[in-house]
Tab-separated table of all heavy atoms in Angstrom:
chain	number	residue	atom	x	y	z
A	152	LEU	N	24.089	13.839	5.313
A	152	LEU	CA	23.801	12.936	4.198
A	152	LEU	C	24.697	11.709	4.193
A	152	LEU	O	24.223	10.575	4.089
A	152	LEU	CB	23.936	13.693	2.865
A	152	LEU	CG	23.829	12.829	1.611
A	152	LEU	CD1	22.466	12.165	1.521
A	152	LEU	CD2	24.091	13.668	0.360
A	153	ARG	N	25.996	11.935	4.327
A	153	ARG	CA	26.898	10.791	4.179
A	153	ARG	C	26.723	9.810	5.332
A	153	ARG	O	26.817	8.599	5.157
A	153	ARG	CB	28.335	11.281	4.066
A	153	ARG	CG	28.557	12.008	2.743
A	153	ARG	CD	29.935	12.576	2.645
A	153	ARG	NE	30.926	11.531	2.611
A	153	ARG	CZ	32.111	11.597	3.227
A	153	ARG	NH1	32.439	12.666	3.907
A	153	ARG	NH2	32.954	10.591	3.139
A	154	GLU	N	26.442	10.342	6.509
A	154	GLU	CA	26.232	9.465	7.672
A	154	GLU	C	24.964	8.637	7.474
A	154	GLU	O	24.925	7.440	7.768
A	154	GLU	CB	26.148	10.362	8.914
A	154	GLU	CG	25.478	9.781	10.132
A	154	GLU	CD	24.796	10.892	10.968
A	154	GLU	OE1	25.320	12.026	10.966
A	154	GLU	OE2	23.744	10.611	11.577
A	155	GLN	N	23.914	9.279	6.956
A	155	GLN	CA	22.677	8.536	6.728
A	155	GLN	C	22.873	7.473	5.649
A	155	GLN	O	22.343	6.372	5.749
A	155	GLN	CB	21.546	9.500	6.332
A	155	GLN	CG	21.029	10.295	7.528
A	155	GLN	CD	20.073	11.400	7.145
A	155	GLN	OE1	20.240	12.067	6.118
A	155	GLN	NE2	19.052	11.608	7.949
A	156	ALA	N	23.644	7.817	4.632
A	156	ALA	CA	23.896	6.841	3.567
A	156	ALA	C	24.690	5.656	4.092
A	156	ALA	O	24.586	4.558	3.557
A	156	ALA	CB	24.632	7.507	2.411
A	157	ALA	N	25.478	5.891	5.144
A	157	ALA	CA	26.323	4.819	5.671
A	157	ALA	C	25.585	3.927	6.659
A	157	ALA	O	26.068	2.858	7.010
A	157	ALA	CB	27.559	5.417	6.345
A	158	ASP	N	24.404	4.333	7.107
A	158	ASP	CA	23.629	3.506	8.043
A	158	ASP	C	23.132	2.282	7.294
A	158	ASP	O	22.353	2.383	6.355
A	158	ASP	CB	22.451	4.342	8.582
A	158	ASP	CG	21.598	3.569	9.595
A	158	ASP	OD1	21.684	2.314	9.641
A	158	ASP	OD2	20.844	4.217	10.337
A	159	SER	N	23.609	1.106	7.699
A	159	SER	CA	23.290	-0.095	6.928
A	159	SER	C	21.799	-0.372	6.880
A	159	SER	O	21.297	-0.966	5.935
A	159	SER	CB	24.008	-1.309	7.524
A	159	SER	OG	23.528	-1.527	8.835
A	160	ARG	N	21.066	0.105	7.893
A	160	ARG	CA	19.623	-0.149	7.856
A	160	ARG	C	18.945	0.716	6.808
A	160	ARG	O	17.813	0.455	6.415
A	160	ARG	CB	19.006	0.154	9.222
A	160	ARG	CG	19.497	-0.755	10.352
A	160	ARG	CD	18.985	-0.269	11.690
A	160	ARG	NE	19.214	1.152	11.862
A	160	ARG	CZ	18.721	1.884	12.844
A	160	ARG	NH1	17.951	1.333	13.751
A	160	ARG	NH2	18.972	3.180	12.920
A	161	LEU	N	19.638	1.746	6.341
A	161	LEU	CA	19.004	2.687	5.417
A	161	LEU	C	19.592	2.624	4.011
A	161	LEU	O	19.220	3.399	3.145
A	161	LEU	CB	19.151	4.121	5.943
A	161	LEU	CG	18.433	4.437	7.255
A	161	LEU	CD1	18.699	5.877	7.662
A	161	LEU	CD2	16.929	4.214	7.105
A	162	ALA	N	20.512	1.699	3.788
A	162	ALA	CA	21.265	1.717	2.532
A	162	ALA	C	20.373	1.752	1.302
A	162	ALA	O	20.447	2.644	0.481
A	162	ALA	CB	22.199	0.518	2.479
A	163	GLY	N	19.516	0.768	1.172
A	163	GLY	CA	18.669	0.712	-0.027
A	163	GLY	C	17.725	1.891	-0.068
A	163	GLY	O	17.349	2.390	-1.132
A	164	THR	N	17.351	2.346	1.110
A	164	THR	CA	16.427	3.464	1.238
A	164	THR	C	17.000	4.723	0.626
A	164	THR	O	16.337	5.427	-0.135
A	164	THR	CB	16.158	3.672	2.738
A	164	THR	OG1	15.684	2.439	3.260
A	164	THR	CG2	15.149	4.738	2.962
A	165	VAL	N	18.257	5.014	0.956
A	165	VAL	CA	18.920	6.196	0.399
A	165	VAL	C	19.028	6.052	-1.112
A	165	VAL	O	18.730	6.968	-1.870
A	165	VAL	CB	20.316	6.388	1.031
A	165	VAL	CG1	21.103	7.447	0.298
A	165	VAL	CG2	20.184	6.744	2.506
A	166	GLY	N	19.420	4.855	-1.539
A	166	GLY	CA	19.582	4.607	-2.970
A	166	GLY	C	18.292	4.856	-3.741
A	166	GLY	O	18.301	5.391	-4.843
A	167	ARG	N	17.183	4.459	-3.139
A	167	ARG	CA	15.889	4.626	-3.809
A	167	ARG	C	15.557	6.097	-4.004
A	167	ARG	O	15.022	6.491	-5.044
A	167	ARG	CB	14.782	3.984	-2.960
A	167	ARG	CG	14.203	2.738	-3.574
A	167	ARG	CD	13.009	2.268	-2.774
A	167	ARG	NE	13.372	1.905	-1.420
A	167	ARG	CZ	13.771	0.696	-1.053
A	167	ARG	NH1	13.860	-0.272	-1.940
A	167	ARG	NH2	14.088	0.452	0.194
A	168	GLN	N	15.858	6.896	-2.976
A	168	GLN	CA	15.588	8.335	-3.090
A	168	GLN	C	16.432	8.926	-4.209
A	168	GLN	O	15.962	9.709	-5.024
A	168	GLN	CB	15.914	9.034	-1.767
A	168	GLN	CG	15.081	8.599	-0.580
A	168	GLN	CD	13.803	9.403	-0.415
A	168	GLN	OE1	13.724	10.562	-0.817
A	168	GLN	NE2	12.784	8.800	0.161
A	169	LEU	N	17.708	8.547	-4.236
A	169	LEU	CA	18.613	9.125	-5.236
A	169	LEU	C	18.238	8.685	-6.644
A	169	LEU	O	18.335	9.451	-7.593
A	169	LEU	CB	20.059	8.731	-4.920
A	169	LEU	CG	20.599	9.239	-3.578
A	169	LEU	CD1	22.041	8.756	-3.369
A	169	LEU	CD2	20.560	10.755	-3.519
A	170	ALA	N	17.816	7.439	-6.760
A	170	ALA	CA	17.483	6.934	-8.093
A	170	ALA	C	16.288	7.661	-8.679
A	170	ALA	O	16.180	7.821	-9.885
A	170	ALA	CB	17.198	5.438	-8.016
A	171	ALA	N	15.403	8.096	-7.820
A	171	ALA	CA	14.181	8.737	-8.302
A	171	ALA	C	14.345	10.238	-8.513
A	171	ALA	O	13.526	10.859	-9.176
A	171	ALA	CB	13.049	8.503	-7.305
A	172	ALA	N	15.409	10.815	-7.956
A	172	ALA	CA	15.503	12.273	-7.883
A	172	ALA	C	15.758	12.926	-9.236
A	172	ALA	O	16.546	12.426	-10.034
A	172	ALA	CB	16.609	12.667	-6.909
A	173	SER	N	15.113	14.066	-9.468
A	173	SER	CA	15.476	14.933	-10.584
A	173	SER	C	16.604	15.852	-10.138
A	173	SER	O	17.439	16.259	-10.925
A	173	SER	CB	14.314	15.836	-11.002
A	173	SER	OG	13.129	15.120	-11.126
A	174	VAL	N	16.571	16.193	-8.857
A	174	VAL	CA	17.542	17.130	-8.311
A	174	VAL	C	17.687	16.863	-6.824
A	174	VAL	O	16.732	16.443	-6.166
A	174	VAL	CB	17.088	18.596	-8.556
A	174	VAL	CG1	15.736	18.876	-7.911
A	174	VAL	CG2	18.113	19.594	-8.023
A	175	ILE	N	18.905	17.045	-6.327
A	175	ILE	CA	19.138	16.942	-4.885
A	175	ILE	C	19.299	18.354	-4.336
A	175	ILE	O	20.051	19.166	-4.894
A	175	ILE	CB	20.435	16.171	-4.582
A	175	ILE	CG1	20.367	14.765	-5.154
A	175	ILE	CG2	20.705	16.141	-3.083
A	175	ILE	CD1	19.485	13.824	-4.395
A	176	VAL	N	18.602	18.617	-3.256
A	176	VAL	CA	18.760	19.905	-2.598
A	176	VAL	C	19.541	19.664	-1.311
A	176	VAL	O	19.049	18.995	-0.395
A	176	VAL	CB	17.387	20.529	-2.271
A	176	VAL	CG1	17.571	21.837	-1.516
A	176	VAL	CG2	16.581	20.740	-3.540
A	177	LEU	N	20.752	20.181	-1.264
A	177	LEU	CA	21.543	20.070	-0.030
A	177	LEU	C	21.108	21.212	0.874
A	177	LEU	O	21.545	22.352	0.722
A	177	LEU	CB	23.039	20.181	-0.342
A	177	LEU	CG	23.745	18.914	-0.789
A	177	LEU	CD1	25.226	19.196	-1.032
A	177	LEU	CD2	23.607	17.803	0.241
A	178	ASN	N	20.208	20.871	1.762
A	178	ASN	CA	19.606	21.892	2.607
A	178	ASN	C	20.448	22.098	3.865
A	178	ASN	O	21.375	21.326	4.148
A	178	ASN	CB	18.178	21.462	2.974
A	178	ASN	CG	17.388	22.592	3.574
A	178	ASN	OD1	17.638	23.761	3.260
A	178	ASN	ND2	16.444	22.270	4.449
A	179	LYS	N	20.095	23.130	4.598
A	179	LYS	CA	20.855	23.489	5.813
A	179	LYS	C	22.314	23.740	5.439
A	179	LYS	O	23.229	23.421	6.198
A	179	LYS	CB	20.751	22.404	6.879
A	179	LYS	CG	19.304	21.990	7.156
A	179	LYS	CD	19.170	21.104	8.372
A	179	LYS	CE	17.716	20.742	8.603
A	179	LYS	NZ	17.507	19.922	9.788
A	180	ALA	N	22.481	24.329	4.250
A	180	ALA	CA	23.841	24.595	3.763
A	180	ALA	C	24.561	25.575	4.679
A	180	ALA	O	25.787	25.587	4.749
A	180	ALA	CB	23.791	25.116	2.337
Side-chain angles (χ1 to χ4, degrees):
Chain A
L152 173 62
R153 291 176 65 219
E154 159 210 328
Q155 285 171 322
D158 181 342
S159 63
R160 296 172 311 171
L161 295 179
T164 304
V165 170
R167 250 187 297 271
Q168 297 271 332
L169 298 179
S173 313
V174 59
I175 300 286
V176 177
L177 276 181
N178 193 29
K179 309 190 179 182

